[in-house]
Amino acid sequence: MKSRRTFLKHLSVASAAAVLPIQTIAKEMAKQPMIHQVYFWLHDTANTEEFLTQAVPMLGRCKTVGKFIAGTPADTEKRDVVDHSWQVSCTLFFDSLEDQLSYQKDPLHLEFIEKYSSMWSTVKVYDIAI
Amino acid sequence: MKSRRTFLKHLSVASAAAVLPIQTIAKEMAKQPMIHQVYFWLHDTANTEEFLTQAVPMLGRCKTVGKFIAGTPADTEKRDVVDHSWQVSCTLFFDSLEDQLSYQKDPLHLEFIEKYSSMWSTVKVYDIAI
């Protein structure tokens, strides 16, 4: 039943803007846990090990981040539906949408972008309400 | 240092096919934990709530799956890098690449595909060595 609750909770957040006062929206944001899933495609010249071991761990140290997992493409079977073309991923858990919003402005996050954004050609993000 | 170990471990799995006997590759597969991250784009006519609450939980009950998290797009800020266009996601943790391979053939997984694959137009997978 957790999934059903999650779905209804998500619907309530999604439709809140249409009908609810701003305080209520803020309250919904404060209660919605989420995963912020990021995939990086690095330039050929970029040092993948440096990016994985020096750069992305900075994101994990941002104040509002819960669990943080850095990753690389797993050596699983090649199938049309599986994208193995990226080089580094981060999986960040947040207790709320608000915490993710704070993370976007965290000084360490901004420092990461300034210092390392020249290393990637593409970044793709999926924000998952859970 | 965990990330560095992960990177080296991944490299060793990725390059194993070139130099190591099959038993050694199997051993590496057995030790590599991973996330199997799946995003579904459903047909307009599909019932998202049914898919979220009846269909994908079947995947979470497959034998070799560790932690299972179903999700929907979080109501985060609209940015070019964020894809909010999908409808349902699953985050599946496996203790090893072998466990993910077994999951692909799990009877419950095959039943899920047979019963519900008509509901989605696109599925996208990212396999993450962690």
Side-chain angles (χ1 to χ4, degrees):
Chain A
M1 290 309 291
K2 188 178 176 293
S3 298
R4 188 184 170 85
R5 281 205 311 277
T6 301
F7 178 73
L8 296 175
K9 207 188 296 174
H10 172 67
L11 275 191
S12 73
V13 172
S15 57
V19 292
L20 298 175
I22 198 79
Q23 297 93 323
T24 312
I25 297 172
K27 223 177 271 176
E28 287 295 327
M29 280 186 73
K31 285 185 296 186
Q32 177 59 64
M34 61 169 283
I35 300 171
H36 179 67
Q37 179 65 54
V38 190
Y39 306 97
F40 294 98
W41 283 257
L42 302 183
H43 289 297
D44 289 346
T45 51
N47 183 330
T48 304
E49 185 174 0
E50 181 193 353
F51 192 73
L52 184 67
T53 61
Q54 306 297 318
V56 294
M58 290 175 71
L59 302 178
R61 293 196 297 272
C62 290
K63 219 169 47 186
T64 58
V65 173
K67 193 175 168 61
F68 170 82
I69 305 168
T72 53
D75 195 25
T76 49
E77 60 281 16
K78 310 293 169 244
R79 299 184 292 143
D80 284 349
V81 296
V82 185
D83 189 343
H84 289 97
S85 68
W86 49 284
Q87 281 78 46
V88 173
S89 73
C90 312
T91 306
L92 299 98
F93 287 76
F94 291 99
D95 285 341
S96 68
L97 303 186
E98 266 177 354
D99 279 356
Q100 191 277 143
L101 200 58
S102 302
Y103 158 81
Q104 292 297 337
K105 304 167 205 153
D106 190 299
L108 210 50
H109 186 188
L110 301 178
E111 191 189 329
F112 162 82
I113 293 170
E114 198 190 320
K115 223 168 158 179
Y116 293 108
S117 60
S118 62
M119 289 181 77
W120 68 77
S121 56
T122 304
V123 59
K124 205 166 199 173
V125 176
Y126 296 83
D127 285 330
I128 306 172
I130 59 175
Chain B
M1 287 313 287
K2 187 175 178 297
S3 297
R4 189 185 168 85
R5 281 205 311 277
T6 301
F7 178 73
L8 296 175
K9 206 188 296 172
H10 171 68
L11 275 191
S12 72
V13 171
S15 58
V19 292
L20 297 175
I22 198 77
Q23 297 92 324
T24 312
I25 297 172
K27 223 179 268 178
E28 286 298 325
M29 280 188 72
K31 284 186 296 185
Q32 176 60 64
M34 60 169 284
I35 301 173
H36 179 68
Q37 179 65 55
V38 190
Y39 305 97
F40 293 98
W41 282 258
L42 302 183
H43 289 297
D44 289 345
T45 49
N47 183 330
T48 304
E49 185 174 358
E50 180 192 351
F51 192 73
L52 184 68
T53 61
Q54 305 298 319
V56 294
M58 290 174 71
L59 302 177
R61 293 196 298 272
C62 289
K63 220 170 44 186
T64 56
V65 174
K67 194 174 165 61
F68 169 82
I69 305 169
T72 53
D75 195 25
T76 49
E77 59 282 14
K78 310 295 169 245
R79 299 184 292 142
D80 283 350
V81 296
V82 185
D83 189 344
H84 289 98
S85 68
W86 49 284
Q87 280 78 46
V88 172
S89 72
C90 312
T91 307
L92 299 97
F93 287 76
F94 292 99
D95 284 342
S96 69
L97 303 187
E98 268 179 352
D99 279 356
Q100 192 277 143
L101 201 57
S102 302
Y103 158 80
Q104 292 296 337
K105 304 168 203 152
D106 189 298
L108 210 51
H109 187 188
L110 301 179
E111 189 189 329
F112 162 82
I113 293 170
E114 197 189 322
K115 222 169 159 180
Y116 293 108
S117 61
S118 62
M119 289 181 79
W120 68 77
S121 56
T122 305
V123 59
K124 205 166 199 172
V125 176
Y126 296 83
D127 284 331
I128 307 172
I130 58 175

